[in-house]
Amino acid sequence: MTTYTVRPLNRPVDADVAVPGSKSITNRALLLAALANGESVLENALFSEDSHWFSESLRRMGIVVWEDAAHATMTVRGEGGTFPEKTADCFVGNSGTTARFMVAAAALGRGDYRFDGVPRMRQRPIAPLLDALRPLGTRFSFEADADCFPLIVHGEGLRGGETTLDAAASSQYLTGLLMAAPYAEGDVTIRLAGELVSEPYIDMTIRMMAQFGVQVSMGKGVFMTRTGGRYRAQRYIIEPDASNATYFFAAAALCGGRVRVPNLPALSLQGDVGFVDVLAQMGCAVTKTAEYIEVQGTGTLHGVDVDMNAISDTAQTLAAIAPFADSPVRIRNIGHIRHKETDRIHAAVNELKRLGVDAEEFSDGLIIQPSVVHPAEVQTYDDHRMAMAFSVIGLRAEGITIANPECTAKTFPDFFQRFESLYT
């Protein structure tokens, strides 16, 4: 399939949509289980390109991972903070979580671990993480540009101590450091330099570390782990992906009717459940329980001016429904998403303009005016979120075709099959 043509939905939606497991939780759980001592079973795990590159990197470093896609389970035999292989060649695709988490974890090993990815990954920033690992005793070498992929981690174990991290480009640097830090030879103190973006993902990391048995101490801009903390092997259930649920919630907002996502709890680990609060500001009714989240829309949307720094993976979803609002929609404080799979601000504005929408980009965001959407083929920039978010537009506008729909395999391989359930 080289394109996907969206059919307008000429009635309110009425659907319960089962969303696969969270990519962010799956990849964190894979590493925590690998560092634990013993066997963990991850249930409702996500099977996608990103989780494939993560589990494959673990295998190359000597961690046994069994996968049962039919039952959405992964079984990981943790090695207690060590990696049996002394050399490994790991390919991370375009998975930022794999790149940042595994590079930090490789510092715990005793060997040389090479990491590379697709051409876009060679452009995505990694230097702040490397700069934070060096004072903790990690060395690196590079095959091309300094502080870029492809690189080799010369693991000698983390010695502990204090380091400074610039997390303005990605919260994944801090997550990688935090998850590896309990296995350092001494306590680790991480001091942040500047702004921390996507803070709910750090909350997720710290909560998951606690679920696996390790506590993180926090102060203002300071995070500390004690040496000797150890993760516990366990059975762990992964929540549905809140970021990927937003496309279905947006369908209810745009078309009217209701969409419920089962097993996504109000007290989710994932900050992106906050997207439904934006929909509430736009006029939707939102129900949150311990068993599900549901959005009911009227088909009428009000404009908003919203800071989406904390839920930036949902910015494209909001951009997709914004032309149908009755007043402008402004999305602010998301400059860091220019360094994702693509420059997401520029890509979103480009494609909105292709559809005839009045949209303008700024250094850290965009503004979208109420507009009549014209038929066009949406370019997706090999970015799964562009493909999924812009599909929603076609539920209200004729002639919307999505180029390269296969790119959704990164986090949601069967997205379009589940999207079709909105029509039944």
Side-chain angles (χ1 to χ4, degrees):
M1 180 170 57
T2 57
T3 61
Y4 174 85
T5 299
V6 187
R7 308 187 311 280
L9 186 63
N10 298 314
R11 59 168 175 76
V13 66
D14 182 16
D16 288 11
V17 181
V19 175
S22 161
K23 184 257 323 231
S24 299
I25 297 177
T26 296
N27 282 2
R28 282 167 173 79
L30 278 168
L31 182 54
L32 295 172
L35 295 177
N37 187 20
E39 190 171 287
S40 294
V41 178
L42 311 181
E43 299 187 6
N44 196 40
L46 176 66
F47 284 79
S48 70
E49 287 182 357
D50 274 20
S51 58
H52 165 76
W53 296 128
F54 207 107
S55 61
E56 183 61 22
S57 294
L58 288 173
R59 287 191 190 94
R60 288 177 178 267
M61 295 176 70
I63 302 296
V64 176
V65 182
W66 296 280
E67 296 182 348
D68 182 351
H71 296 91
T73 61
M74 297 181 182
T75 303
V76 183
R77 183 188 295 160
E79 295 288 347
T82 64
F83 294 104
E85 296 293 339
K86 304 308 177 190
T87 61
D89 193 344
C90 301
F91 186 79
V92 304
N94 198 11
S95 172
T97 52
T98 306
R100 282 75 178 257
F101 301 174
M102 288 302 303
V103 164
L108 298 172
R110 302 282 176 173
D112 298 323
Y113 308 105
R114 181 181 183 273
F115 292 89
D116 197 9
V118 300
R120 175 62 178 172
M121 182 54 70
R122 294 184 177 192
Q123 299 170 351
R124 295 178 69 179
I126 190 83
L129 175 60
L130 308 185
D131 288 342
L133 285 166
R134 287 182 175 108
L136 303 178
T138 307
R139 295 182 300 109
F140 306 93
S141 59
F142 307 94
E143 296 177 11
D145 295 336
D147 290 345
C148 293
F149 276 33
L151 61 81
I152 298 172
V153 180
H154 302 288
E156 300 173 358
L158 283 177
R159 65 177 176 227
E162 186 171 310
T163 192
T164 300
L165 172 68
D166 179 354
S170 175
S171 64
Q172 293 170 358
Y173 308 143
L174 180 55
T175 284
L177 281 172
L178 285 172
M179 290 196 293
Y183 290 85
E185 296 167 5
D187 298 348
V188 173
T189 300
I190 305 165
R191 298 188 182 277
L192 298 185
E195 179 187 15
L196 172 63
V197 298
S198 303
E199 191 169 350
Y201 284 99
I202 300 305
D203 296 338
M204 174 194 293
T205 300
I206 291 170
R207 288 171 65 185
M208 288 186 66
M209 289 173 65
Q211 289 171 341
F212 275 81
V214 173
Q215 301 295 323
V216 176
S217 301
M218 292 174 286
K220 187 175 181 180
V222 179
F223 299 79
M224 190 185 78
T225 60
R226 297 286 187 187
T227 188
R230 294 295 179 263
Y231 299 123
R232 294 191 301 265
Q234 61 188 275
R235 172 179 172 266
Y236 190 84
I237 302 175
I238 294 165
E239 297 175 4
D241 193 301
S243 308
N244 288 343
T246 65
Y247 312 115
F248 300 98
F249 291 142
L254 197 58
C255 299
R258 58 139 215 127
V259 165
R260 176 180 294 185
V261 175
N263 302 314
L264 183 61
L267 297 179
S268 169
L269 288 166
Q270 303 166 80
D272 281 358
V273 294
F275 179 76
V276 298
D277 299 326
V278 178
L279 294 181
Q281 293 178 51
M282 299 180 81
C284 296
V286 174
T287 303
K288 303 178 187 178
T289 76
E291 289 80 33
Y292 64 85
I293 295 178
E294 181 174 283
V295 171
Q296 291 184 305
T298 65
T300 299
L301 294 172
H302 307 307
V304 288
D305 184 332
V306 60
D307 182 332
M308 299 191 80
N309 183 279
I311 56 172
S312 60
D313 275 350
T314 72
Q316 288 146 298
T317 315
L318 180 56
I321 63 174
F324 303 94
D326 59 11
S327 60
V329 170
R330 179 158 190 161
I331 303 171
R332 295 182 286 105
N333 200 18
I334 56 168
H336 61 284
I337 73 171
R338 292 186 181 276
H339 306 290
K340 295 281 192 172
E341 284 82 347
T342 187
D343 178 340
R344 286 180 167 169
I345 295 174
H346 185 66
V349 170
N350 260 6
E351 297 315 300
L352 287 169
K353 288 182 175 179
R354 190 188 305 277
L355 298 174
V357 174
D358 183 356
E360 182 181 358
E361 68 177 281
F362 306 97
S363 60
D364 73 337
L366 62 158
I367 187 167
I368 302 155
Q369 304 292 337
S371 302
V372 175
V373 175
H374 300 152
E377 181 174 290
V378 175
Q379 302 306 302
T380 51
Y381 306 82
D382 202 27
D383 184 348
H384 56 132
R385 301 215 179 279
M386 286 295 297
M388 292 187 283
F390 276 73
S391 296
V392 179
I393 296 175
L395 296 173
R396 275 278 294 268
E398 293 275 359
I400 305 302
T401 298
I402 305 300
N404 187 27
E406 294 88 351
C407 69
T408 63
K410 189 173 192 295
T411 59
F412 202 157
D414 64 346
F415 169 76
F416 286 102
Q417 290 94 311
R418 301 197 192 212
F419 190 76
E420 286 288 328
S421 71
L422 296 175
Y423 297 95
T424 58

